[in-house]
Amino acid sequence: MTDGETGRVFRLAYVPGVTPAKWVNVWAERIPDVPVTLVAVPAAEVVGLLRDGGADAGFARLPIDRDGLSVIPLYVETTVVVVPKDHAVAAADEVTIADLADDEVFHPLDDTIEWAVRPGQPAFTRPDTTADAVKLVASGAGLLVVPQSLARLHHRRDLTYRPVVDAPQSQVALTWPADATTDLVEDFIGIVRGRTVNSSRGRAPAAAPAAAPAEKPARRQAQKPAQNGSSGRRATQAGRKRRGPRPR
């Protein structure tokens, strides 16, 4: 940590459905002197928050306006339809957009899925938020198509969800102001990308003291094997001369 970072916090924004805990836990182990402040923000407001300096980095749902931002796409979510448990869709393992053609489907104002053609029939209203739309689904007024993490976030006992196999999908990304790529931001990028603490692109750990050079092993005085014409052969020949005369 540089002197300018002493006493700092790392402000991390995240949109609904994203769970940053696993990355924050790694951060706490590697950089315990810099706490993380989590900033929950609606999906439509994360870009403005970053540009205004309200967070150092954030998790957003693509697409976003990338002007002035660096973006690293991370993962793609399954798209699901949220229905009452007694709805016909609940009997299937998965559905297609065509299966929803006769149902009213809510399109909340904070929807992050890019639709070329929205599924189903237009509902009687556009709820302000996904949370409001879920309440309307529970009342039996229609269905809702969302990324799976949002269906889990707004889970209710009277509702269930099923994958929509041919629907567009939502992608989560890490983003931050391009002109504010600090050492702390680089540290967090490394954590999200799964780099180890010793990675060359992460912050270098404190250098360990140099080990003393190992002593060279003492040379052993090994005897060379006897060669032709050596004393060993002469000794053998001398031994033969000591033999007595051959019997006749």
Side-chain angles (χ1 to χ4, degrees), residues 77-82 95 100 113 144-152 160-164 167-168:
E77 287 195 62
T78 299
T79 300
V80 302
V81 57
V82 180
V95 297
L100 310 177
I113 297 176
L144 175 65
V145 179
V146 291
Q148 183 169 298
S149 66
L150 291 180
R152 290 174 175 169
T160 188
Y161 59 85
R162 295 292 183 268
V164 184

Side-chain angles (χ1 to χ4, degrees), residues 95-120:
V95 297
T96 65
I97 291 176
D99 295 327
L100 310 177
D102 296 330
D103 289 286
E104 291 189 7
V105 178
F106 291 107
H107 182 223
L109 295 176
D110 64 354
D111 186 14
T112 58
I113 297 176
E114 279 199 312
W115 295 101
V117 179
R118 292 174 191 158

Side-chain angles (χ1 to χ4, degrees), residues 41-246:
V41 59
E45 298 177 15
V46 64
V47 168
L49 181 74
L50 291 169
R51 287 179 177 155
D52 292 342
D56 298 295
F59 291 105
R61 290 186 183 277
L62 300 180
I64 59 173
D65 180 0
R66 300 192 181 200
D67 186 31
L69 299 177
S70 295
V71 178
I72 300 176
L74 297 177
Y75 59 90
V76 176
E77 287 195 62
T78 299
T79 300
V80 302
V81 57
V82 180
V83 301
K85 284 190 173 180
D86 59 356
H87 193 280
V89 164
D93 292 331
E94 58 187 28
V95 297
T96 65
I97 291 176
D99 295 327
L100 310 177
D102 296 330
D103 289 286
E104 291 189 7
V105 178
F106 291 107
H107 182 223
L109 295 176
D110 64 354
D111 186 14
T112 58
I113 297 176
E114 279 199 312
W115 295 101
V117 179
R118 292 174 191 158
Q121 302 296 319
F124 69 93
T125 185
R126 287 198 65 185
D128 290 336
T129 67
T130 297
D132 292 335
V134 170
K135 293 177 183 177
L136 290 171
V137 173
S139 73
L143 311 183
L144 175 65
V145 179
V146 291
Q148 183 169 298
S149 66
L150 291 180
R152 290 174 175 169
L153 177 65
H154 300 292
H155 172 71
R156 294 173 52 120
R157 292 184 178 181
D158 52 349
L159 300 179
T160 188
Y161 59 85
R162 295 292 183 268
V164 184
V165 295
D166 55 350
Q169 295 177 309
S170 174
Q171 186 168 26
V172 173
L174 177 66
T175 181
W176 67 94
D179 59 358
T181 308
T182 64
D183 284 345
L184 293 179
V185 171
E186 287 284 6
D187 285 333
F188 193 73
I189 293 170
I191 289 171
V192 170
R193 283 183 159 172
R195 296 182 195 141
T196 65
V197 69
N198 294 321
S199 169
S200 60
R201 292 194 64 183
R203 188 178 300 182
E215 294 183 1
K216 294 183 179 180
R219 294 182 178 178
R220 292 183 297 177
Q221 299 297 328
Q223 294 182 349
K224 295 182 180 180
Q227 299 178 355
N228 292 339
S230 68
S231 59
R233 182 173 179 179
R234 288 196 297 268
T236 303
Q237 291 174 345
R240 289 176 180 173
K241 292 178 180 179
R242 293 193 192 100
R243 293 178 182 176
R246 293 181 182 178

